[in-house]
Amino acid sequence: MTSHVAACPHSERSFRVVTAPRRTPARRLRVEVGIVGAGPAGLALANVLTRRGIDCLVVERASRERVEERQRAGLLEDRTVRWLRSQGLADRLLAESTLHHWCDFRCLGHTVRVDYGAYSDGRQHHVYPQQNLVRDLIAGLERAGTPPLFSHNVRAVTNITGRRPRLECEGMEIECDYVVGCDGFRGISRAALPATGHRAHNRRYPYDWLTVLAEVDRPVEGVRYAVHRAGFAGMMPRGPRLSRFYLQCPPGDAVAAWPASRIVAELRERLADGDPAGLPAIGATPEVRMLRMHSSVLTPLAHGRLLLAGDAGHVLTPSGAKGMNLAIADAAALAEALVARLREGDEGPLAAYSATRLADVRRVLGFSEWLLGLLHLPEEASAAPEAELTSRLAAIRRLAEPGPHAYRFAHRYVGSGVREWCHDPPG
Ligand code: RFL
């Protein structure tokens, strides 16, 4: 067997190539932290670790083009932006995002504006499409000379309880001190966990959401939630000519049941609810998908030298726009913990990672579910929805008037992180 040192085609690193007779050469790379997945979690983590001098590599199965064009989230919480800024990762975001501090609820023909900025000491959401943040984070790694390895599917994560866990890819093996699984809900990192000792807390909700990315003739000024007898509908700003819409539908419904004409008619019926001037004209719908409404939280988020972050460890519905924010909060905690472990020999933060993050995830999930409860009428109300809608309207109005309901909603919705308001039960 022969070996020599070669340059990795995707980075400036050198690594040892081991050639076995009559076998495809197995390439071996050695890094301190191997990260599976180039979503917001993996990319944010890699940027911070690289800046702190830790040798890490993001391995992503999709092409760079695919990763950079995926349109999903758009609302960044206050705490997320503060952290990104503190790490020097928010320059373009701060220059180009738009700020939002209110949302509208539409119910029984009334529009109730909730100025959550006013009830959270002026905190605001930044509207910045997920794909823009992803592009910024990839560019940051490129500038640092450590771009992700795109189009490399990690087939397995092995030896997670040993000293050197490994990422196994086609023709390549990456040996690490730690592996971080940031490969989303359907990734392979979860599969590396032992069957015993880990539990997924799954919940299926009794409805699905049709999600529609649509062209609009004017920018959507803010988020609108409609609580309607025909079902929930939502409208989220995404840019000057685009908006994301949601429509509640029966569980298991198919996209085929929703031709464009039906989508537009239902959006108008539920979101405008007697006030068509409040809605932009809806044009082409480049993306129509069905979201199976479920949540899943895995406990614990670590085993041996494998740590999970973002959707790989917990997936929430889009209610409250929390998924990407939680993914970045995980990255922030892990970055500190890995630096403490690898540079200062302090194992404490890494040992506490799972419990600390799960406490936050559960609080955020509680808020997201509380909002789902507010926005959807129970099945029992379908015969006589008026009484239920009247009590919803009263609950919504409480969010718009000074008092504990409004403060708690505002801090949790904008993601202020302020203990006093964010740690109480929702309501
Ligand atoms: P991601 O973004 O899913 O990235 C995982 C990456 O891992 C790669 N991968 C692998 N790579 C190598 N080898 C393998 N074996 C691999 N298996 C998978 C994948 O290709 C992918 O690139 O996970 P991450 O980083 O945890 O980020 C999570 C967020 O993307 C997600 O929570 C949000 O998009 C959720 N979400 C929203 N979050 C918000 O905070 N605000 C919002 O307004 C919001 N709106 C949304 C959303 C999610 C949506 N969908 C489609 C689920 C709206 C929608 C419609």
Short mmCIF file of all heavy atoms in Angstrom, two decimals, residues 35-43 59-62 67 70-77 130 134 152-156 182-189 211 236 238 244 246 287 289 291 309-318 320-328, ligand 1:
data_model
loop_
_atom_site.label_atom_id
_atom_site.label_comp_id
_atom_site.label_asym_id
_atom_site.label_seq_id
_atom_site.Cartn_x
_atom_site.Cartn_y
_atom_site.Cartn_z
N ILE A 35 -18.73 18.65 9.68
CA ILE A 35 -20.12 19.11 9.76
C ILE A 35 -20.89 18.56 8.56
O ILE A 35 -20.48 18.74 7.41
CB ILE A 35 -20.17 20.66 9.75
CG1 ILE A 35 -19.43 21.21 10.97
CG2 ILE A 35 -21.61 21.15 9.71
CD1 ILE A 35 -19.23 22.72 10.96
N VAL A 36 -21.98 17.85 8.82
CA VAL A 36 -22.79 17.29 7.73
C VAL A 36 -23.93 18.26 7.43
O VAL A 36 -24.77 18.49 8.30
CB VAL A 36 -23.39 15.92 8.12
CG1 VAL A 36 -24.00 15.24 6.88
CG2 VAL A 36 -22.35 15.02 8.76
N GLY A 37 -23.94 18.83 6.23
CA GLY A 37 -25.06 19.67 5.82
C GLY A 37 -24.74 21.16 5.79
O GLY A 37 -24.24 21.72 6.76
N ALA A 38 -25.03 21.77 4.63
CA ALA A 38 -24.76 23.21 4.45
C ALA A 38 -26.07 24.00 4.47
O ALA A 38 -26.37 24.75 3.55
CB ALA A 38 -24.00 23.45 3.14
N GLY A 39 -26.85 23.81 5.54
CA GLY A 39 -28.01 24.68 5.79
C GLY A 39 -27.55 25.79 6.73
O GLY A 39 -26.35 25.90 7.03
N PRO A 40 -28.48 26.57 7.23
CA PRO A 40 -28.11 27.67 8.14
C PRO A 40 -27.31 27.18 9.36
O PRO A 40 -26.35 27.84 9.76
CB PRO A 40 -29.45 28.26 8.56
CG PRO A 40 -30.38 27.90 7.45
CD PRO A 40 -29.92 26.60 6.90
N ALA A 41 -27.68 26.03 9.93
CA ALA A 41 -26.98 25.56 11.14
C ALA A 41 -25.52 25.23 10.83
O ALA A 41 -24.60 25.75 11.48
CB ALA A 41 -27.69 24.33 11.72
N GLY A 42 -25.29 24.38 9.84
CA GLY A 42 -23.93 23.95 9.53
C GLY A 42 -23.05 25.10 9.07
O GLY A 42 -21.88 25.21 9.47
N LEU A 43 -23.61 25.97 8.26
CA LEU A 43 -22.81 27.07 7.70
C LEU A 43 -22.48 28.11 8.77
O LEU A 43 -21.35 28.63 8.81
CB LEU A 43 -23.56 27.73 6.54
CG LEU A 43 -23.72 26.87 5.28
CD1 LEU A 43 -24.71 27.51 4.31
CD2 LEU A 43 -22.37 26.65 4.59
N VAL A 59 -19.66 19.19 4.77
CA VAL A 59 -19.86 18.28 3.64
C VAL A 59 -21.36 18.30 3.29
O VAL A 59 -22.20 18.05 4.15
CB VAL A 59 -19.42 16.85 4.00
CG1 VAL A 59 -19.51 15.95 2.77
CG2 VAL A 59 -17.99 16.86 4.54
N GLU A 60 -21.67 18.61 2.05
CA GLU A 60 -23.06 18.82 1.63
C GLU A 60 -23.35 17.97 0.40
O GLU A 60 -22.60 17.99 -0.57
CB GLU A 60 -23.26 20.31 1.32
CG GLU A 60 -24.51 20.66 0.55
CD GLU A 60 -25.83 20.28 1.25
OE1 GLU A 60 -26.01 20.63 2.41
OE2 GLU A 60 -26.66 19.61 0.58
N ARG A 61 -24.48 17.26 0.46
CA ARG A 61 -24.76 16.35 -0.65
C ARG A 61 -25.28 17.06 -1.90
O ARG A 61 -25.08 16.60 -3.01
CB ARG A 61 -25.74 15.27 -0.23
CG ARG A 61 -27.15 15.76 -0.08
CD ARG A 61 -28.11 14.61 0.12
NE ARG A 61 -29.38 15.15 0.57
CZ ARG A 61 -30.28 14.50 1.25
NH1 ARG A 61 -30.05 13.26 1.59
NH2 ARG A 61 -31.39 15.06 1.62
N ALA A 62 -25.93 18.20 -1.73
CA ALA A 62 -26.49 18.91 -2.89
C ALA A 62 -25.42 19.80 -3.52
O ALA A 62 -24.37 20.07 -2.93
CB ALA A 62 -27.67 19.75 -2.44
N VAL A 67 -28.30 24.45 -3.20
CA VAL A 67 -28.35 24.96 -1.82
C VAL A 67 -28.66 26.46 -1.82
O VAL A 67 -29.42 26.95 -0.98
CB VAL A 67 -27.00 24.68 -1.11
CG1 VAL A 67 -26.91 25.43 0.21
CG2 VAL A 67 -26.84 23.18 -0.86
N ARG A 70 -32.62 27.37 -2.62
CA ARG A 70 -33.76 26.87 -1.83
C ARG A 70 -34.42 27.99 -1.03
O ARG A 70 -33.79 28.62 -0.20
CB ARG A 70 -33.27 25.81 -0.84
CG ARG A 70 -33.27 24.42 -1.41
CD ARG A 70 -33.02 23.38 -0.35
NE ARG A 70 -31.94 23.73 0.54
CZ ARG A 70 -30.97 22.90 0.93
NH1 ARG A 70 -30.96 21.66 0.50
NH2 ARG A 70 -30.05 23.29 1.76
N GLN A 71 -35.69 28.24 -1.32
CA GLN A 71 -36.39 29.33 -0.66
C GLN A 71 -37.25 28.76 0.46
O GLN A 71 -38.11 27.94 0.21
CB GLN A 71 -37.29 30.04 -1.66
CG GLN A 71 -36.55 30.45 -2.90
CD GLN A 71 -37.25 31.60 -3.61
OE1 GLN A 71 -38.07 32.28 -3.05
NE2 GLN A 71 -36.90 31.80 -4.86
N ARG A 72 -36.99 29.21 1.66
CA ARG A 72 -37.76 28.69 2.79
C ARG A 72 -38.12 29.82 3.75
O ARG A 72 -39.08 30.52 3.55
CB ARG A 72 -36.95 27.64 3.52
CG ARG A 72 -36.84 26.33 2.77
CD ARG A 72 -35.98 25.42 3.56
NE ARG A 72 -35.99 24.06 3.14
CZ ARG A 72 -35.33 23.11 3.78
NH1 ARG A 72 -34.66 23.41 4.87
NH2 ARG A 72 -35.37 21.88 3.35
N ALA A 73 -37.29 29.97 4.78
CA ALA A 73 -37.63 30.93 5.83
C ALA A 73 -37.34 32.35 5.37
O ALA A 73 -36.70 32.59 4.36
CB ALA A 73 -36.82 30.60 7.08
N GLY A 74 -37.80 33.30 6.18
CA GLY A 74 -37.56 34.69 5.84
C GLY A 74 -37.56 35.63 7.04
O GLY A 74 -37.13 36.76 6.93
N LEU A 75 -38.02 35.14 8.19
CA LEU A 75 -38.10 36.02 9.35
C LEU A 75 -36.99 35.68 10.35
O LEU A 75 -36.96 34.57 10.88
CB LEU A 75 -39.44 35.85 10.07
CG LEU A 75 -40.68 36.53 9.50
CD1 LEU A 75 -41.84 36.40 10.48
CD2 LEU A 75 -40.45 37.99 9.18
N LEU A 76 -36.10 36.64 10.57
CA LEU A 76 -35.03 36.41 11.53
C LEU A 76 -35.37 37.12 12.83
O LEU A 76 -35.70 38.31 12.84
CB LEU A 76 -33.71 36.95 10.98
CG LEU A 76 -33.11 36.13 9.83
CD1 LEU A 76 -31.93 36.85 9.22
CD2 LEU A 76 -32.67 34.77 10.34
N GLU A 77 -35.24 36.37 13.92
CA GLU A 77 -35.55 36.93 15.23
C GLU A 77 -34.50 37.95 15.65
O GLU A 77 -33.36 37.92 15.18
CB GLU A 77 -35.55 35.82 16.30
CG GLU A 77 -36.70 34.86 16.19
CD GLU A 77 -36.63 33.81 17.31
OE1 GLU A 77 -35.55 33.64 17.91
OE2 GLU A 77 -37.65 33.18 17.58
N GLN A 130 -33.98 33.16 3.51
CA GLN A 130 -33.00 32.16 3.97
C GLN A 130 -31.89 31.95 2.95
O GLN A 130 -30.72 31.83 3.30
CB GLN A 130 -33.73 30.84 4.24
CG GLN A 130 -32.82 29.73 4.71
CD GLN A 130 -33.59 28.54 5.29
OE1 GLN A 130 -34.68 28.69 5.82
NE2 GLN A 130 -33.03 27.36 5.20
N VAL A 134 -27.86 32.02 3.48
CA VAL A 134 -27.05 30.85 3.11
C VAL A 134 -25.92 31.28 2.15
O VAL A 134 -24.76 30.90 2.32
CB VAL A 134 -27.97 29.76 2.49
CG1 VAL A 134 -27.19 28.76 1.66
CG2 VAL A 134 -28.73 29.05 3.61
N HIS A 152 -21.30 16.08 -2.19
CA HIS A 152 -20.72 14.91 -1.51
C HIS A 152 -21.72 14.39 -0.49
O HIS A 152 -21.97 15.05 0.52
CB HIS A 152 -19.41 15.27 -0.81
CG HIS A 152 -18.23 15.25 -1.71
ND1 HIS A 152 -18.06 16.15 -2.74
CD2 HIS A 152 -17.16 14.41 -1.75
CE1 HIS A 152 -16.93 15.88 -3.38
NE2 HIS A 152 -16.36 14.83 -2.81
N ASN A 153 -22.31 13.26 -0.82
CA ASN A 153 -23.28 12.67 0.08
C ASN A 153 -22.58 11.92 1.21
O ASN A 153 -21.75 11.04 0.94
CB ASN A 153 -24.16 11.70 -0.73
CG ASN A 153 -25.23 11.06 0.11
OD1 ASN A 153 -25.79 11.69 1.00
ND2 ASN A 153 -25.51 9.79 -0.18
N VAL A 154 -22.85 12.28 2.44
CA VAL A 154 -22.30 11.50 3.56
C VAL A 154 -23.18 10.26 3.72
O VAL A 154 -24.38 10.38 3.96
CB VAL A 154 -22.26 12.33 4.87
CG1 VAL A 154 -21.77 11.47 6.03
CG2 VAL A 154 -21.38 13.55 4.70
N ARG A 155 -22.58 9.10 3.54
CA ARG A 155 -23.38 7.86 3.59
C ARG A 155 -23.56 7.36 5.02
O ARG A 155 -24.55 6.72 5.35
CB ARG A 155 -22.71 6.77 2.75
CG ARG A 155 -22.81 7.07 1.26
CD ARG A 155 -22.44 5.89 0.46
NE ARG A 155 -21.09 5.42 0.78
CZ ARG A 155 -20.30 4.80 -0.08
NH1 ARG A 155 -20.71 4.56 -1.31
NH2 ARG A 155 -19.11 4.40 0.27
N ALA A 156 -22.57 7.64 5.86
CA ALA A 156 -22.68 7.16 7.25
C ALA A 156 -21.76 7.99 8.15
O ALA A 156 -20.74 8.51 7.70
CB ALA A 156 -22.30 5.69 7.33
N CYS A 182 -25.83 18.43 10.90
CA CYS A 182 -26.71 19.58 10.59
C CYS A 182 -27.43 19.25 9.29
O CYS A 182 -27.59 20.10 8.42
CB CYS A 182 -25.89 20.86 10.41
SG CYS A 182 -24.91 21.32 11.82
N ASP A 183 -27.83 17.99 9.14
CA ASP A 183 -28.31 17.52 7.84
C ASP A 183 -29.84 17.42 7.78
O ASP A 183 -30.38 16.64 7.00
CB ASP A 183 -27.66 16.18 7.47
CG ASP A 183 -27.65 15.18 8.61
OD1 ASP A 183 -27.94 15.57 9.75
OD2 ASP A 183 -27.36 14.00 8.36
N GLY A 184 -30.51 18.22 8.59
CA GLY A 184 -31.96 18.33 8.47
C GLY A 184 -32.70 17.11 8.99
O GLY A 184 -32.11 16.13 9.44
N PHE A 185 -34.01 17.19 8.92
CA PHE A 185 -34.87 16.18 9.52
C PHE A 185 -34.70 14.81 8.88
O PHE A 185 -34.84 13.78 9.51
CB PHE A 185 -36.33 16.64 9.41
CG PHE A 185 -37.30 15.72 10.08
CD1 PHE A 185 -37.18 15.43 11.43
CD2 PHE A 185 -38.33 15.14 9.36
CE1 PHE A 185 -38.08 14.58 12.05
CE2 PHE A 185 -39.23 14.29 9.98
CZ PHE A 185 -39.10 14.01 11.33
N ARG A 186 -34.42 14.80 7.55
CA ARG A 186 -34.28 13.51 6.87
C ARG A 186 -32.83 13.12 6.64
O ARG A 186 -32.53 12.31 5.77
CB ARG A 186 -35.03 13.55 5.54
CG ARG A 186 -36.50 13.69 5.74
CD ARG A 186 -37.30 13.72 4.48
NE ARG A 186 -38.56 14.42 4.70
CZ ARG A 186 -39.56 13.98 5.48
NH1 ARG A 186 -39.47 12.83 6.06
NH2 ARG A 186 -40.66 14.70 5.65
N GLY A 187 -31.92 13.73 7.39
CA GLY A 187 -30.50 13.43 7.21
C GLY A 187 -30.10 12.08 7.77
O GLY A 187 -30.94 11.34 8.30
N ILE A 188 -28.80 11.77 7.66
CA ILE A 188 -28.35 10.44 8.10
C ILE A 188 -27.74 10.46 9.51
O ILE A 188 -27.49 9.41 10.08
CB ILE A 188 -27.31 9.82 7.13
CG1 ILE A 188 -26.23 10.83 6.79
CG2 ILE A 188 -27.97 9.28 5.88
CD1 ILE A 188 -25.09 10.74 7.67
N SER A 189 -27.49 11.65 10.05
CA SER A 189 -26.83 11.70 11.37
C SER A 189 -27.66 11.01 12.44
O SER A 189 -27.12 10.29 13.29
CB SER A 189 -26.62 13.15 11.79
OG SER A 189 -25.85 13.80 10.84
N THR A 211 -48.41 25.45 1.16
CA THR A 211 -47.51 26.61 1.18
C THR A 211 -47.25 27.05 -0.25
O THR A 211 -46.93 26.24 -1.11
CB THR A 211 -46.21 26.33 1.97
OG1 THR A 211 -45.30 27.39 1.72
CG2 THR A 211 -45.56 25.03 1.58
N MET A 236 -46.91 36.12 4.35
CA MET A 236 -45.61 36.54 4.90
C MET A 236 -44.83 37.33 3.86
O MET A 236 -44.73 36.88 2.71
CB MET A 236 -44.72 35.32 5.25
CG MET A 236 -45.42 34.18 5.92
SD MET A 236 -45.66 34.54 7.66
CE MET A 236 -47.30 33.85 7.91
N ARG A 238 -41.73 38.45 1.69
CA ARG A 238 -40.47 37.80 1.32
C ARG A 238 -39.58 38.71 0.46
O ARG A 238 -38.43 38.43 0.26
CB ARG A 238 -40.72 36.50 0.55
CG ARG A 238 -41.11 35.32 1.41
CD ARG A 238 -39.99 34.91 2.35
NE ARG A 238 -40.31 33.73 3.14
CZ ARG A 238 -40.88 33.74 4.33
NH1 ARG A 238 -41.21 34.89 4.89
NH2 ARG A 238 -41.12 32.62 4.99
N ARG A 244 -44.91 34.71 0.67
CA ARG A 244 -45.27 33.32 0.98
C ARG A 244 -46.65 33.31 1.61
O ARG A 244 -46.95 34.13 2.46
CB ARG A 244 -44.24 32.66 1.91
CG ARG A 244 -44.51 31.18 2.08
CD ARG A 244 -43.45 30.46 2.88
NE ARG A 244 -42.22 30.17 2.18
CZ ARG A 244 -42.06 29.26 1.23
NH1 ARG A 244 -43.08 28.54 0.82
NH2 ARG A 244 -40.89 29.07 0.67
N TYR A 246 -49.87 30.73 3.22
CA TYR A 246 -50.21 29.43 3.79
C TYR A 246 -51.74 29.28 3.80
O TYR A 246 -52.46 30.25 4.07
CB TYR A 246 -49.72 29.31 5.23
CG TYR A 246 -48.22 29.34 5.40
CD1 TYR A 246 -47.59 30.39 6.06
CD2 TYR A 246 -47.41 28.30 4.92
CE1 TYR A 246 -46.20 30.42 6.23
CE2 TYR A 246 -46.04 28.32 5.09
CZ TYR A 246 -45.44 29.38 5.75
OH TYR A 246 -44.08 29.40 5.91
N GLU A 287 -43.93 28.16 -6.63
CA GLU A 287 -43.77 26.99 -5.75
C GLU A 287 -45.07 26.75 -4.99
O GLU A 287 -45.56 27.64 -4.30
CB GLU A 287 -42.62 27.25 -4.76
CG GLU A 287 -42.32 26.05 -3.87
CD GLU A 287 -41.45 26.44 -2.68
OE1 GLU A 287 -40.27 26.78 -2.89
OE2 GLU A 287 -41.97 26.41 -1.54
N ARG A 289 -46.47 23.74 -2.44
CA ARG A 289 -46.15 22.46 -1.78
C ARG A 289 -47.10 22.22 -0.63
O ARG A 289 -47.71 23.14 -0.11
CB ARG A 289 -44.71 22.50 -1.23
CG ARG A 289 -43.67 22.66 -2.31
CD ARG A 289 -42.31 22.84 -1.69
NE ARG A 289 -42.02 21.83 -0.70
CZ ARG A 289 -41.06 21.93 0.21
NH1 ARG A 289 -40.31 22.98 0.27
NH2 ARG A 289 -40.85 20.95 1.07
N LEU A 291 -47.31 21.03 3.17
CA LEU A 291 -46.52 20.78 4.37
C LEU A 291 -47.31 19.87 5.29
O LEU A 291 -48.40 20.25 5.74
CB LEU A 291 -46.22 22.08 5.11
CG LEU A 291 -45.24 23.06 4.51
CD1 LEU A 291 -45.05 24.24 5.46
CD2 LEU A 291 -43.90 22.39 4.25
N ALA A 309 -27.64 19.43 15.43
CA ALA A 309 -28.05 20.84 15.49
C ALA A 309 -29.10 21.11 14.41
O ALA A 309 -29.10 20.48 13.36
CB ALA A 309 -26.84 21.75 15.30
N GLY A 310 -29.96 22.07 14.67
CA GLY A 310 -30.97 22.48 13.70
C GLY A 310 -32.03 21.40 13.50
O GLY A 310 -32.33 20.62 14.40
N ASP A 311 -32.58 21.38 12.28
CA ASP A 311 -33.69 20.45 11.99
C ASP A 311 -33.29 18.99 12.21
O ASP A 311 -34.17 18.13 12.36
CB ASP A 311 -34.16 20.62 10.53
CG ASP A 311 -35.08 21.83 10.36
OD1 ASP A 311 -35.19 22.64 11.30
OD2 ASP A 311 -35.68 21.98 9.27
N ALA A 312 -32.03 18.67 12.21
CA ALA A 312 -31.60 17.29 12.46
C ALA A 312 -32.03 16.84 13.85
O ALA A 312 -32.29 15.66 14.09
CB ALA A 312 -30.08 17.17 12.32
N GLY A 313 -32.13 17.79 14.77
CA GLY A 313 -32.48 17.44 16.14
C GLY A 313 -33.92 17.77 16.50
O GLY A 313 -34.49 17.17 17.40
N HIS A 314 -34.49 18.75 15.81
CA HIS A 314 -35.86 19.18 16.16
C HIS A 314 -36.46 19.88 14.97
O HIS A 314 -35.86 20.74 14.37
CB HIS A 314 -35.83 20.13 17.36
CG HIS A 314 -34.68 21.10 17.31
ND1 HIS A 314 -34.68 22.20 16.50
CD2 HIS A 314 -33.48 21.10 17.95
CE1 HIS A 314 -33.55 22.84 16.65
NE2 HIS A 314 -32.78 22.19 17.52
N VAL A 315 -37.68 19.48 14.63
CA VAL A 315 -38.34 20.15 13.52
C VAL A 315 -39.69 20.64 14.01
O VAL A 315 -40.42 19.92 14.70
CB VAL A 315 -38.40 19.24 12.27
CG1 VAL A 315 -39.18 17.98 12.51
CG2 VAL A 315 -38.96 19.98 11.07
N LEU A 316 -39.97 21.91 13.71
CA LEU A 316 -41.24 22.53 14.12
C LEU A 316 -42.03 22.86 12.87
O LEU A 316 -41.47 22.93 11.77
CB LEU A 316 -40.95 23.84 14.87
CG LEU A 316 -40.71 23.79 16.38
CD1 LEU A 316 -39.56 22.86 16.74
CD2 LEU A 316 -40.40 25.19 16.90
N THR A 317 -43.30 23.13 13.02
CA THR A 317 -44.09 23.63 11.88
C THR A 317 -43.64 25.08 11.63
O THR A 317 -42.97 25.68 12.47
CB THR A 317 -45.59 23.63 12.21
OG1 THR A 317 -45.85 24.71 13.13
CG2 THR A 317 -46.04 22.30 12.82
N PRO A 318 -44.05 25.67 10.49
CA PRO A 318 -43.64 27.08 10.26
C PRO A 318 -44.34 28.08 11.18
O PRO A 318 -44.03 29.26 11.12
CB PRO A 318 -44.05 27.33 8.80
CG PRO A 318 -44.24 25.99 8.18
CD PRO A 318 -44.67 25.07 9.29
N GLY A 320 -45.07 30.64 13.68
CA GLY A 320 -44.20 31.49 14.50
C GLY A 320 -42.84 31.71 13.87
O GLY A 320 -42.04 32.47 14.40
N ALA A 321 -42.55 31.04 12.74
CA ALA A 321 -41.30 31.24 11.99
C ALA A 321 -40.07 31.01 12.87
O ALA A 321 -39.22 31.89 13.02
CB ALA A 321 -41.29 32.64 11.37
N LYS A 322 -39.97 29.83 13.45
CA LYS A 322 -38.92 29.59 14.44
C LYS A 322 -37.80 28.64 13.99
O LYS A 322 -36.72 28.64 14.59
CB LYS A 322 -39.55 29.01 15.72
CG LYS A 322 -40.55 29.94 16.38
CD LYS A 322 -39.90 31.22 16.83
CE LYS A 322 -40.80 32.13 17.62
NZ LYS A 322 -40.19 33.45 17.89
N GLY A 323 -38.02 27.82 12.95
CA GLY A 323 -37.08 26.75 12.63
C GLY A 323 -35.66 27.22 12.36
O GLY A 323 -34.69 26.74 12.95
N MET A 324 -35.51 28.18 11.46
CA MET A 324 -34.17 28.65 11.12
C MET A 324 -33.52 29.35 12.32
O MET A 324 -32.31 29.25 12.55
CB MET A 324 -34.22 29.60 9.93
CG MET A 324 -32.87 30.18 9.58
SD MET A 324 -32.81 30.99 7.99
CE MET A 324 -33.83 32.41 8.25
N ASN A 325 -34.34 30.04 13.09
CA ASN A 325 -33.80 30.73 14.25
C ASN A 325 -33.27 29.75 15.30
O ASN A 325 -32.20 29.97 15.88
CB ASN A 325 -34.88 31.64 14.85
CG ASN A 325 -35.22 32.78 13.90
OD1 ASN A 325 -34.43 33.69 13.72
ND2 ASN A 325 -36.37 32.71 13.26
N LEU A 326 -33.99 28.65 15.50
CA LEU A 326 -33.51 27.63 16.43
C LEU A 326 -32.23 27.00 15.90
O LEU A 326 -31.30 26.69 16.66
CB LEU A 326 -34.56 26.54 16.64
CG LEU A 326 -35.69 26.85 17.62
CD1 LEU A 326 -36.66 25.69 17.69
CD2 LEU A 326 -35.14 27.15 19.02
N ALA A 327 -32.18 26.78 14.58
CA ALA A 327 -30.98 26.17 13.98
C ALA A 327 -29.76 27.04 14.24
O ALA A 327 -28.68 26.56 14.59
CB ALA A 327 -31.20 25.98 12.47
N ILE A 328 -29.93 28.35 14.12
CA ILE A 328 -28.80 29.26 14.34
C ILE A 328 -28.47 29.37 15.83
O ILE A 328 -27.30 29.46 16.21
CB ILE A 328 -29.08 30.62 13.68
CG1 ILE A 328 -29.14 30.42 12.15
CG2 ILE A 328 -28.03 31.66 14.03
CD1 ILE A 328 -29.54 31.63 11.34
P1 RFL B 1 -31.48 22.45 6.38
O1 RFL B 1 -31.63 23.88 5.94
O2 RFL B 1 -32.55 21.51 6.04
O3 RFL B 1 -30.09 21.93 5.80
C1 RFL B 1 -29.71 20.57 5.88
C2 RFL B 1 -28.69 20.31 4.80
O4 RFL B 1 -28.17 19.01 4.96
C3 RFL B 1 -27.99 18.43 3.68
N1 RFL B 1 -27.92 16.96 3.82
C4 RFL B 1 -26.78 16.25 3.63
N2 RFL B 1 -25.53 16.60 3.29
C5 RFL B 1 -24.58 15.61 3.16
N3 RFL B 1 -24.87 14.29 3.33
C6 RFL B 1 -26.13 13.88 3.67
N4 RFL B 1 -26.39 12.59 3.87
C7 RFL B 1 -27.14 14.89 3.84
N5 RFL B 1 -28.46 14.85 4.16
C8 RFL B 1 -28.91 16.11 4.14
C9 RFL B 1 -29.20 18.94 2.90
O5 RFL B 1 -29.00 18.86 1.50
C10 RFL B 1 -29.29 20.37 3.42
O6 RFL B 1 -28.55 21.27 2.61
O7 RFL B 1 -31.28 22.34 7.97
P2 RFL B 1 -30.80 23.42 9.09
O8 RFL B 1 -29.45 23.97 8.78
O9 RFL B 1 -31.03 22.74 10.37
O10 RFL B 1 -31.81 24.66 8.93
C11 RFL B 1 -33.17 24.51 9.25
C12 RFL B 1 -33.99 25.51 8.44
O11 RFL B 1 -33.70 25.36 7.07
C13 RFL B 1 -35.50 25.28 8.69
O12 RFL B 1 -35.75 25.13 10.06
C14 RFL B 1 -36.34 26.48 8.19
O13 RFL B 1 -36.28 26.59 6.80
C15 RFL B 1 -37.78 26.30 8.66
N6 RFL B 1 -38.65 27.36 8.13
C16 RFL B 1 -38.66 28.62 8.71
N7 RFL B 1 -37.83 28.91 9.74
C17 RFL B 1 -37.81 30.17 10.28
O14 RFL B 1 -37.04 30.42 11.22
N8 RFL B 1 -38.59 31.18 9.77
C18 RFL B 1 -39.45 30.97 8.73
O15 RFL B 1 -40.11 31.92 8.30
C19 RFL B 1 -39.52 29.63 8.16
N9 RFL B 1 -40.32 29.37 7.10
C20 RFL B 1 -39.45 27.08 7.01
C21 RFL B 1 -40.29 28.12 6.52
C22 RFL B 1 -39.42 25.83 6.38
C23 RFL B 1 -40.22 25.59 5.29
N10 RFL B 1 -40.15 24.30 4.70
C24 RFL B 1 -40.03 24.07 3.33
C25 RFL B 1 -39.86 23.15 5.53
C26 RFL B 1 -41.09 27.90 5.42
C27 RFL B 1 -41.07 26.63 4.80
C28 RFL B 1 -41.97 26.44 3.63
#
